Amino acid sequence: MSVNINWGELEKNVVKTIADVDGKIRRNAGKSAGQKLAKRLEDNTPVDSHGLEIATTVGPVEENGDVLVGYGKTAYWRAHFVNMGTEFQSGQHFVEKTVETESEEIMNEYMEQIKRGLGL
């Protein structure tokens, strides 16, 4: 399950800026922003009545600055049913809601970490 955000012209400029940044700075900034989004996603994930935890994961930062944030193999299938729904229950769409409400703050975190890494 993935959610893509279309930032339009801003996205092109940000991606170009991130791709031009040194690898270590880019990785640190991406990990920081990814972990922040993962924490928010984990906070917004509905709790299972059986006490099963659904933990989020943060993947590696790619050359263009993309970071994959989601659920591990053991938790994905449980989160997927609750988020997307089934024929017996409506989806809660908490993943999309989290991305929508947190995307600006996460992008600001990414940029702040890049600025800090560049000494700006």
Side-chain angles (χ1 to χ4, degrees):
M1 165 182 2
S2 65
V3 178
N4 291 322
I5 303 170
N6 184 0
W7 294 83
E9 197 63 35
L10 175 64
E11 180 178 24
K12 292 175 188 171
N13 293 333
V14 169
V15 168
K16 184 177 179 330
T17 301
I18 291 172
D20 290 343
V21 172
D22 177 52
K24 184 177 180 182
I25 296 169
R26 181 180 55 246
R27 285 189 298 276
N28 289 341
K31 278 294 185 182
S32 176
Q35 288 169 347
K36 190 170 189 173
L37 180 59
K39 174 70 174 120
R40 297 287 170 81
L41 182 58
E42 206 167 295
D43 291 344
N44 292 340
T45 301
V47 178
D48 186 285
S49 62
H50 301 288
L52 298 173
E53 289 190 27
I54 297 183
T56 54
T57 60
V58 179
V61 180
E62 297 178 12
E63 291 295 317
N64 66 356
D66 285 352
V67 182
L68 188 61
V69 176
Y71 300 99
K73 290 180 183 178
T74 58
Y76 169 75
W77 66 273
R78 291 193 309 259
H80 173 39
F81 290 126
V82 178
N83 186 63
M84 302 302 290
T86 66
E87 65 180 290
F88 302 109
Q89 72 179 28
S90 298
Q92 296 182 23
H93 303 289
F94 56 89
V95 173
E96 293 85 352
K97 290 175 185 173
T98 301
V99 170
E100 187 178 307
T101 60
E102 303 297 329
S103 59
E104 186 175 338
E105 187 175 335
I106 299 305
M107 185 58 76
N108 287 335
E109 171 72 17
Y110 211 134
M111 291 293 106
E112 285 299 317
Q113 291 296 325
I114 287 178
K115 287 179 191 176
R116 185 175 297 133
L118 294 173
L120 301 175

